[in-house]
Amino acid sequence: MPIDFTFAPEVEEVRLRVREFIDTEVRPAEEKLRADRAGDAAADRRALIAMIVMTRQTAKDWGLWLPHMPPEWGGMGLGPTAMAAVSAEAARTGMGPFVLNCQAPDEGNQHTLLHWATEEQKERYLRPLCEGTARSCFAMTEPEVAGSDPTLIQTRAYQDGDEWVVNGHKWFISGARGAKFAILIARTEEDPDLPQAANSAFLVDLPAEGWEVVRDIETMSGSHNHCEIRITDLRVPATNMLGGRGQGHLLGQARLGPARLAHCMRWIAQCETALDMMVDRSLNRFAHGSLLAEKQGIQWLIADSTMELYQAKLMVLHAAYKLENGLPFKTEVSMAKHFVANTLWRTVDRAIQVHGALGYSSDTPLADMLKQARWSRFADGADEVHQMTIARNAIAAYKDHGTTRTATGDLPL
Ligand SMILES: Cc1cc2nc3c(=O)[nH]c(=O)nc-3n(C[C@H](O)[C@H](O)[C@H](O)COP(=O)(O)OP(=O)(O)OC[C@H]3O[C@@H](n4cnc5c(N)ncnc54)[C@H](O)[C@@H]3O)c2cc1C
């Protein structure tokens, strides 16, 4: 049977090296950061940046840098399935992916530039991103229209000689403050054949006149550099269009497929951390005559989380396999994104329940993890939009073949 769930020895070696690196270098640094929290946002941010700079150097010393990019860009050249293994180790701590330089949104932007940029654009924008000397952002969502439907984008660009002039409004642009450049999506075509062909993508050097960071939006988990941006008569050289005219939607979709799966790979790690903590706590807390681990009510929480994590891992591995082998992957990624995001929410919530008041405190990472987990159910594709795609595919499969089989992973079962 050609079904093999073992990784090649070199992938397994990298996975274990990442695990050791996270356990011995990143987790202790994060714990120290948490213990030293001064409550002063600026000072805490400076300490965080110092920690990232230091651990990034250590990551390079360990040969663990930029796992998803090809060697000619300074990366480790891992494909999607190997990345699933590495991300599931790296993201067991909150900062692990940043330390290896495979964090959102830069990871998605790196892939996008690798596939869509001209050689000049790659040298100018991709190179520093890969070297870790620059950060980037991806600016698509707008406050005035539903982000779930990019055909509604109102930010407009018109051509003026060898420049484009852009006006508009964006928000929730992750990493915008301090980014060296943005990939900006704007409407350039007024009457396209398809509504999806109205937008184009631009590379915008930052900071720039006409690009105003209005605020770092305060979210339910604090401010994490998800910014509101006002764009007024921003001038972008025509050579900075990324891809062709009207290809902004295509580029966004091509970026989002792998980027969504990369989120899932990281969320699996967070689910595992929460489940490990749930079990550990249940083995050490005694109430009403026995350990929590011996109580059926707690065992159900553990069992449900265990089963869901197993399903999540299989879905991610299968979607990564499809991506790696050039097979259609969109439905599988949609199903994985929806399922893993909800598994993450449920598992962290159960872990908090088992920890009682401690779980609600900031003495453990669980409270932060829950607040972070909430956005995963609507960002990069809301649950309902994925469900819409999944149902559409199942209905189409049934109409075409008299069975929904191809819509359920197209597995040989
Ligand atoms: C932490 C965070 C980081 C982000 N980072 C970025 C970034 O870097 N760059 C960027 O461009 N954007 C970013 N976003 C924005 C994100 O991509 C959008 O939130 C997402 O696309 C949804 O758009 P919206 O918020 O406008 O919700 P809407 O599109 O208004 O949708 C709201 C709700 O409506 C429902 N809904 C929508 N469509 C349907 C449908 N067809 N059927 C049924 N129900 C439906 C869903 O419940 C959905 O959650 C980020 C968001 C967050 C929270």
Side-chain angles (χ1 to χ4, degrees):
M1 282 285 287
I3 296 177
D4 184 356
F5 286 101
T6 55
F7 286 120
E10 62 277 14
V11 174
E12 185 61 6
E13 187 275 322
V14 172
R15 186 182 75 79
L16 293 175
R17 193 146 36 101
V18 174
R19 170 169 283 239
E20 190 186 346
F21 175 70
I22 295 293
D23 285 344
T24 59
E25 302 287 344
V26 183
R27 183 170 294 107
E30 266 187 30
E31 279 168 2
K32 182 168 180 336
L33 211 60
R34 198 173 302 118
D36 292 351
R37 243 182 224 165
D40 167 354
D44 289 346
R45 181 148 186 83
R46 277 196 300 277
L48 172 69
I49 291 167
M51 175 270 197
I52 292 175
V53 170
M54 187 192 73
T55 44
R56 277 189 156 192
Q57 185 51 52
T58 318
K60 287 180 184 168
D61 297 342
W62 280 57
L64 297 174
W65 181 250
L66 211 60
H68 55 290
M69 290 298 281
E72 58 270 31
W73 290 95
M76 297 165 69
L78 302 183
T81 44
M83 265 316 283
V86 164
S87 297
E89 297 296 344
R92 287 190 305 122
T93 64
M95 296 316 295
F98 282 87
V99 174
L100 304 190
N101 196 8
C102 56
Q103 72 285 355
D106 290 325
E107 186 201 37
N109 289 348
Q110 286 160 353
H111 280 303
T112 304
L113 289 168
L114 188 66
H115 291 105
W116 292 79
T118 63
E119 289 312 310
E120 291 75 21
Q121 289 172 340
K122 281 183 193 171
E123 276 311 316
R124 182 165 176 156
Y125 298 100
L126 180 57
R127 183 73 66 194
L129 216 49
C130 292
E131 287 169 347
T133 54
R135 289 192 295 99
S136 62
C137 60
F138 187 84
M140 184 156 85
T141 307
E142 304 180 351
E144 293 81 7
V145 289
S148 303
D149 183 356
T151 65
L152 302 174
I153 282 177
Q154 292 182 349
T155 295
R156 281 190 154 66
Y158 66 87
Q159 197 156 15
D160 182 25
D162 56 5
E163 287 181 325
W164 286 85
V165 183
V166 193
N167 284 281
H169 193 193
K170 301 284 180 184
W171 80 340
F172 274 93
I173 308 310
S174 303
R177 190 159 271 167
K180 278 276 171 26
F181 69 91
I183 298 177
L184 169 65
I185 306 294
R187 189 178 183 92
T188 53
E189 316 303 313
E190 278 318 314
D191 202 12
D193 290 342
L194 289 171
Q196 289 83 353
N199 302 329
S200 303
F202 297 93
L203 287 158
V204 181
D205 289 291
L206 298 175
E209 202 175 315
W211 174 280
E212 181 201 352
V213 178
V214 179
R215 60 180 173 137
D216 181 348
I217 299 166
E218 174 91 32
T219 72
M220 64 191 281
S221 76
S223 299
H224 296 287
N225 205 358
H226 305 299
C227 298
E228 179 182 349
I229 311 287
R230 178 72 66 183
I231 302 167
T232 314
D233 292 333
L234 172 76
R235 291 193 162 262
V236 184
T239 49
N240 275 28
M241 184 175 276
L242 181 60
R245 275 183 78 145
Q247 292 193 323
H249 184 85
L250 207 61
L251 179 144
Q253 290 303 304
R255 178 185 181 280
L256 273 175
R260 283 174 179 144
L261 196 60
H263 275 317
C264 294
M265 293 170 185
R266 292 185 284 262
W267 293 336
I268 277 181
Q270 295 283 295
C271 293
E272 194 153 87
T273 298
L275 179 56
D276 286 351
M277 290 179 70
M278 195 189 312
V279 173
D280 187 70
R281 184 69 177 174
S282 72
L283 286 168
N284 288 292
R285 197 68 165 172
F286 185 91
H288 303 291
S290 66
L291 291 170
L292 295 185
E294 292 162 33
K295 303 194 185 295
Q296 198 173 41
I298 299 297
Q299 288 169 358
W300 285 341
L301 299 181
I302 293 171
D304 286 348
S305 304
T306 305
M307 289 187 287
E308 286 172 25
L309 181 53
Y310 176 43
Q311 293 168 71
K313 286 180 177 180
L314 287 176
M315 289 173 99
V316 167
L317 274 179
H318 186 235
Y321 161 86
K322 293 201 112 182
L323 194 58
E324 188 151 323
N325 288 284
L327 300 166
F329 61 83
K330 227 177 141 213
T331 324
E332 287 73 16
V333 169
S334 269
M335 291 194 282
K337 163 44 176 78
H338 183 289
F339 187 78
V340 183
N342 283 275
T343 295
L344 176 65
W345 175 255
R346 288 190 294 263
T347 307
V348 177
D349 180 58
R350 291 178 193 130
I352 289 176
Q353 188 68 14
V354 173
H355 279 72
L358 175 64
Y360 192 61
S361 78
S362 57
D363 288 0
T364 82
L366 288 170
D368 269 350
M369 284 163 65
L370 189 80
K371 284 184 272 182
Q372 287 290 328
R374 190 62 190 84
W375 64 256
S376 65
R377 289 170 49 201
F378 57 84
D380 280 0
D383 280 358
E384 295 81 358
V385 178
H386 286 296
Q387 283 168 297
M388 185 174 73
T389 310
I390 294 161
R392 197 170 50 210
N393 283 333
I395 293 164
Y398 186 81
K399 281 183 176 169
D400 289 349
H401 311 296
T403 166
T404 54
R405 194 180 151 276
T406 53
T408 54
D410 202 14
L411 290 157
L413 294 174

